[in-house]
Amino acid sequence: MRRILVTGANKGIGLAIAKRILAEHEDTFVFLGARDRGRGESALQTLLVENPAFKERASVVALDVASDASVSAALEHVRGQLGQDGTLYAIVNNAGVGSSAGGGLGAVLNTNTIGVHRVCEAFLPLFDAQRGRIVNVTSASGPSFVAECSAENKRFFLDANTEWSDLEKLMRECVSFAGNESAFQKRGLGKGDAYGLSKACANTYTLQLARRYPKLAINACTPGFIATDMTRGYVTAQGKTAAELGMKTPEEGARVVLHLLFDPLEGNGRFYGSDAKRSPLDRYRSPGSPAYAGD
Ligand code: NAP
């Protein structure tokens, strides 16, 4: 039985990922992470209505990735469920917030970047050291952010030897610039878009994690432009439907994640587009265009 933790699994792309794992891979058990247990249980009920057999292969774990205490409690819960010899096969770090979620840059970084670090560092001891996978759902906004950076900052973001403490230092500096676009410009960080910065840092953390755990398959990806609560405000502002804007469904957004969880992969510490092909970390590649073949 391959046991997989999906964070932010109570709706949107996270719920679609959980559903596709359960439907397409019968040898799996999914821990549906939800910061609100009630919302998690409701999501699980919607899955069970569609397929009551999932009952034996899924459970909810209360998990707020922005909270050390919540991550510790979730770790103990999952450890208890695994039993003495059980291991975790994979983590999908899907939980995330947009720039408009409230709380400013610090809150966006605490969920989208520090949350990924918090969950990985806590749950990695539950892995079999010889096998397992981590999929970080970041965004094409990460490479698009790096594209606007100075050459020195590009090297920083693309370097697998950039340590977590280096990323923490950068994030602290950026929080001190918050709301001051010219400070970001002077520091070679473009306009300092909060969401793009958080995803660029999460991509760089993916590189260093893959370097530290070469026997695991640790990669990041963008799900694509997906119609969810996160993008609803944008759709409304455009005055068009999601389909008219070329957006895809959460199930389609799960495609690359399923690929990175289960298919043979050609490497480690890489970033993939929504078409499940590799993309560069310092510029946008549109889905369907040739895959990136660099290091
Ligand atoms: P969504 O519908 O807003 O879902 C976000 C999920 O993350 C929800 O379950 C939410 O829980 C959860 N979450 C937020 N903060 C959390 C926290 N502190 N702890 C635990 N869970 C938390 O958004 P989505 O579009 O499915 O986004 C999923 C991921 O895909 C995100 O990382 C996002 O950045 C990324 N992404 C999305 C798109 C897109 O076009 N939609 C594009 C690129 C990347 P609550 O229900 O409790 O709020």
Side-chain angles (χ1 to χ4, degrees), residues 7-14 34-36 39 63-66 94-97 111-112 137-140 195 199 222-231 247:
T7 69
N10 58 286
K11 68 176 183 180
I13 299 163
R35 62 176 156 179
D36 181 287
R39 288 199 284 271
L63 174 53
D64 179 347
V65 305
N94 163 80
V97 291
T111 298
N112 293 359
V137 180
T138 58
S139 169
Y195 184 73
K199 297 296 191 176
T222 177
F225 192 26
I226 309 298
T228 63
D229 285 352
M230 187 177 284
T231 48
M247 298 173 85

Side-chain angles (χ1 to χ4, degrees), residues 14 48 50 84 88 91 95 99 110 135 147-148 157 186 188 209 230 233 246 271 284:
L48 296 185
E50 280 181 42
Q84 242 178 4
L88 200 57
I91 303 171
S99 291
N110 192 29
V135 182
E148 300 295 315
F157 283 114
K186 265 192 222 148
L209 201 60
M230 187 177 284
F271 179 67
Y284 178 70

Side-chain angles (χ1 to χ4, degrees), residues 14-24 30 47 50 54 251:
L15 179 57
I17 292 166
K19 183 172 155 182
R20 285 194 59 175
I21 293 171
L22 291 166
E24 296 171 28
V30 177
L47 292 180
E50 280 181 42
F54 290 165
E251 284 71 21

Side-chain angles (χ1 to χ4, degrees), residues 126-266:
L126 299 185
F127 277 62
D128 174 339
Q130 303 303 315
R131 65 167 214 149
R133 298 191 179 199
I134 293 178
V135 182
N136 293 334
V137 180
T138 58
S139 169
S141 301
S144 297
F145 180 90
V146 176
E148 300 295 315
C149 288
S150 65
E152 190 187 340
N153 287 331
K154 281 190 175 121
R155 279 194 296 277
F156 174 90
F157 283 114
L158 267 53
D159 188 351
N161 292 309
T162 296
E163 297 293 348
W164 177 249
S165 55
D166 302 323
L167 285 167
E168 279 187 314
K169 194 169 159 217
L170 176 73
M171 288 189 279
R172 272 198 301 274
E173 199 182 348
C174 288
V175 168
S176 78
F177 296 161
N180 182 354
E181 199 177 300
S182 70
F184 282 104
Q185 296 274 15
K186 265 192 222 148
R187 178 67 171 73
L189 293 165
K191 292 180 178 160
D193 168 57
Y195 184 73
L197 171 69
S198 72
K199 297 296 191 176
C201 289
N203 282 339
T204 304
Y205 173 61
T206 307
L207 297 183
Q208 66 119 312
L209 201 60
R211 173 178 59 77
R212 284 166 50 205
Y213 295 92
K215 293 196 172 150
L216 305 183
I218 301 175
N219 295 286
C221 63
T222 177
F225 192 26
I226 309 298
T228 63
D229 285 352
M230 187 177 284
T231 48
R232 193 181 306 281
Y234 173 81
V235 174
T236 307
Q238 298 302 305
K240 293 186 176 171
T241 65
E244 284 168 347
L245 291 167
M247 298 173 85
K248 297 193 168 161
T249 64
E251 284 71 21
E252 289 171 304
R255 173 187 171 193
V256 59
V257 176
L258 272 280
H259 172 63
L260 295 177
L261 280 175
F262 299 110
D263 293 343
L265 301 174
E266 68 271 29

Side-chain angles (χ1 to χ4, degrees), residues 105-121:
L105 175 59
V108 173
L109 291 169
N110 192 29
T111 298
N112 293 359
T113 314
I114 304 171
V116 175
H117 175 266
R118 215 176 250 124
V119 170
C120 288
E121 303 296 332

